[in-house]
Amino acid sequence: MAACLTQNPANFLSDGKKIVGVALNYMDVVKARNVPVPKEPLVFLKPTSSYLREGQPIIIPKVFSKVAYEVELGVVIGKPCKNVSKARAMDYVAGYCLALDLTAQCHLGPARASGHPWTLGKGFDTSTPVSEFIPIKEVKDPHNLSLWLTVNGVEKQKGCTADLVFNVPDIISYVSQYMTLEPNDLILTGTPDGADAFKAGDVIECGLGDLATLKFDVCSE
Amino acid sequence: MAACLTQNPANFLSDGKKIVGVALNYMDVVKARNVPVPKEPLVFLKPTSSYLREGQPIIIPKVFSKVAYEVELGVVIGKPCKNVSKARAMDYVAGYCLALDLTAQCHLGPARASGHPWTLGKGFDTSTPVSEFIPIKEVKDPHNLSLWLTVNGVEKQKGCTADLVFNVPDIISYVSQYMTLEPNDLILTGTPDGADAFKAGDVIECGLGDLATLKFDVCSE
Ligand SMILES: [Mg+2]
Ligand SMILES: [Mg+2]
Ligand SMILES: [Mg+2]
C-alpha cells in the first residue's frame, strides 16, 4: 500500500508533513494580557495527525479538562524555502486556509510554568480543523482579512489579520532560518483575542473574510 | 510531481510524518542533575525536515551558538496506534534505528525559562541524524542495548536502554492517549548522561549495541 504525496497544495491536509504555529501573534491579545510585544515569533509544531476536515466532529480527549478554540489564518507553502528574506517570502506561498488551532489550556498552562514542551496541549488528534485550500490568486491582501468565531451562535472572537504582530513574510523568513519549509507545510499565524474553552455538545462556527467558513460539532472522547 | 509514501518502514526517513521525542528519560541523567524522576514522559515534536542521512554533514545553524549531541534509540511505528495499552504497545513497533537528537541548548535553555515552545531548539535542519532501519526481528531486547557516542574519538556518552525511565511500551501507550501514531513515525526515546556541546570541525561517531554505528562530520552554516 502506498499513498502518493503530490505537490498540489489543494492536498495539503493529506500530503503535508508539518504544521508550524505562532503564539501570541495578535496585538489585541498582547494588549488584553498586558504582556510585552514578542521580539521574535513564538514558534511551535503540531503533527499532521491533528488535521480535521469539515464534516467530522472535534473530539475532546478524555485526558483533558479544558480545551480552547483559536481561529486563525493558515498559510500553505508551495516551494521548499530556507533562509528566505522577508522581501522574497511571499514567493513561497501557494495559498491559504481557514483553521482552528485547538489548544488544551489545562495541559499547556502547567507545561509552560514548568518549562516543558507544548506538544501534547497543541498536538492532540482533531486539534487542527481546516478549510479547503484557497489559492493565493483569490486573496488580494492576506493582511486585511476578517476572522470570526461563534460558539452555539454567540460571537466569541472577531479580529483582522491587519492586527498581526508578525505578518506572513515575517513568519516565513524567521522560521526558514531554522528549518526548511516544504511544499504543503501549513503555518498557523496566531489567533485574535477571545480564545476560550468549549465543551462537548457545542457547535463552533468560524470564518475568514468572504473566503471560507467552517462548522464543527464537538463531542468528548 | 508526486512522491509516493509507502508503508515500508525501511523508508521511514522519506515517508514518515512526525518525530516524537522524549526528554529527561534516563535514570543516569535524572541522578546527575539531581532532579525528580518525571511522573510522565516529557514529549516534544521534531519535524521530518530535520532528518539527516549518513554521508551528509551536520550543519550548525548560524543562528545558534551552542548545539549538543544526544545519542538515542529510535523506534519506528508500523501500524496506526491510538489509545493502546502498554501490554499491546509493542505490536505497533516495526523496528528501530540509531539516532541523534541534536539540541540547540542556547535556544532551549532560555525557551524553557520563559515557558516557550522547544520547537526551534529541537527542530532545525540536520538535527535528527538517523541510521538505516533495523527490523524488530533483529532486536532481541530493546531494553538491553548499549548506546555510545564519541567526539573526535573521545568517549562522551555511554549508556544502556535498561536505564530508561519510561520504556518503549510506556512511551507508545502514553503518547497514543493524545495523538495517533502513524506508520513510519519515529520515537526518540531519550539520551543517557553526557550530552554536551560540539562544534564545526568535530567528527561525531555513535553506536547502538552491535546493530548500528553512525559517523558524521560537523560544519557551520
Ligand atoms: Mg514543541
Ligand atoms: Mg494559536
Ligand atoms: Mg533527546
Side-chain angles (χ1 to χ4, degrees):
Chain A
M1 180 164 52
C4 286
L5 287 192
T6 67
Q7 302 257 323
N8 182 350
N11 302 326
F12 75 94
L13 183 151
S14 56
D15 294 358
K17 287 196 168 186
K18 66 178 169 288
I19 304 170
V20 176
V22 182
L24 198 65
N25 199 33
Y26 273 81
M27 281 307 300
D28 62 355
V29 177
V30 170
K31 284 174 195 156
R33 295 197 198 164
N34 198 23
V35 292
V37 179
K39 292 192 180 68
E40 296 184 323
L42 284 175
V43 175
F44 58 92
L45 284 174
K46 300 180 75 143
T48 58
S49 45
S50 70
Y51 274 133
L52 185 72
R53 296 177 193 275
E54 199 175 25
Q56 301 174 311
I58 292 165
I59 299 171
I60 300 178
K62 56 183 179 247
V63 287
F64 290 143
S65 59
K66 186 179 180 187
V67 176
Y69 46 78
E70 299 187 357
V71 64
E72 312 207 352
L73 169 68
V75 180
V76 179
I77 298 295
K79 296 188 291 190
C81 171
K82 182 69 192 282
N83 277 327
V84 68
S85 68
K86 293 180 190 180
R88 303 310 306 249
M90 293 303 293
D91 297 348
Y92 297 83
V93 174
Y96 302 93
C97 69
L98 170 61
L100 294 172
D101 169 29
L102 303 179
T103 301
Q105 293 182 342
C106 58
H107 192 281
L108 190 60
R112 293 191 60 164
S114 304
H116 290 172
W118 291 22
T119 293
L120 297 178
K122 285 288 193 183
F124 57 93
D125 288 358
T126 79
S127 68
T128 313
V130 289
S131 74
E132 296 295 312
F133 174 71
I134 304 162
I136 191 167
K137 66 175 170 3
E138 294 180 17
V139 180
K140 199 183 294 178
D141 180 1
H143 302 111
N144 191 24
L145 295 170
S146 64
L147 278 168
W148 59 266
L149 180 140
T150 65
V151 178
N152 307 326
V154 178
E155 184 178 288
K156 298 293 186 179
Q157 292 192 278
K158 189 172 181 62
C160 178
T161 58
D163 201 31
L164 283 166
V165 177
F166 298 100
N167 68 16
V168 176
D170 291 340
I171 297 167
I172 291 172
S173 175
Y174 180 75
V175 173
S176 81
Q177 293 182 281
Y178 297 86
M179 58 180 74
T180 300
L181 292 166
E182 298 173 304
N184 295 322
D185 283 353
L186 179 69
I187 296 172
L188 297 173
T189 54
T191 198
D193 194 28
D196 205 353
F198 61 91
K199 60 186 190 311
D202 285 345
V203 176
I204 296 178
E205 294 180 84
C206 58
L208 174 69
D210 56 4
L211 297 166
T213 60
L214 286 170
K215 182 175 182 174
F216 289 94
D217 293 326
V218 179
C219 59
S220 46
E221 189 181 18
Chain B
M1 180 165 52
C4 286
L5 288 192
T6 67
Q7 300 255 327
N8 182 350
N11 301 327
F12 75 94
L13 184 152
S14 56
D15 294 359
K17 287 195 167 187
K18 65 176 169 288
I19 304 171
V20 175
V22 182
L24 198 63
N25 198 32
Y26 272 81
M27 280 307 299
D28 63 355
V29 178
V30 169
K31 285 175 195 156
R33 295 196 198 165
N34 198 23
V35 291
V37 179
K39 293 191 181 67
E40 296 184 321
L42 285 175
V43 174
F44 59 90
L45 284 173
K46 300 179 74 142
T48 58
S49 46
S50 69
Y51 274 133
L52 185 72
R53 294 178 194 276
E54 199 174 24
Q56 300 174 311
I58 292 164
I59 300 170
I60 299 178
K62 56 183 179 245
V63 286
F64 290 143
S65 57
K66 186 179 181 188
V67 176
Y69 45 78
E70 300 187 358
V71 64
E72 312 206 354
L73 169 67
V75 179
V76 180
I77 297 296
K79 294 187 292 190
C81 172
K82 182 70 192 279
N83 278 327
V84 68
S85 68
K86 292 180 190 180
R88 303 311 307 248
M90 293 304 293
D91 297 348
Y92 297 84
V93 175
Y96 302 94
C97 70
L98 170 61
L100 294 172
D101 170 29
L102 303 179
T103 302
Q105 295 182 341
C106 57
H107 193 281
L108 191 60
R112 291 192 62 164
S114 304
H116 290 172
W118 292 22
T119 294
L120 297 178
K122 286 287 192 183
F124 56 94
D125 288 358
T126 81
S127 68
T128 313
V130 288
S131 74
E132 295 296 313
F133 174 71
I134 304 163
I136 192 167
K137 66 174 171 359
E138 292 180 19
V139 181
K140 198 183 295 178
D141 181 1
H143 302 111
N144 191 25
L145 295 170
S146 65
L147 278 168
W148 60 265
L149 180 141
T150 65
V151 178
N152 306 325
V154 178
E155 185 178 289
K156 299 292 187 179
Q157 292 191 276
K158 189 171 181 62
C160 178
T161 57
D163 201 31
L164 283 167
V165 176
F166 299 100
N167 67 16
V168 176
D170 291 340
I171 298 166
I172 291 172
S173 175
Y174 180 77
V175 173
S176 81
Q177 293 182 280
Y178 297 86
M179 58 179 74
T180 300
L181 292 166
E182 298 173 305
N184 296 320
D185 283 353
L186 180 68
I187 295 171
L188 298 173
T189 54
T191 198
D193 194 29
D196 205 353
F198 61 92
K199 59 186 191 312
D202 285 345
V203 177
I204 297 178
E205 293 178 86
C206 58
L208 174 69
D210 57 4
L211 296 167
T213 60
L214 286 169
K215 182 176 183 175
F216 290 94
D217 293 326
V218 180
C219 59
S220 47
E221 189 180 17

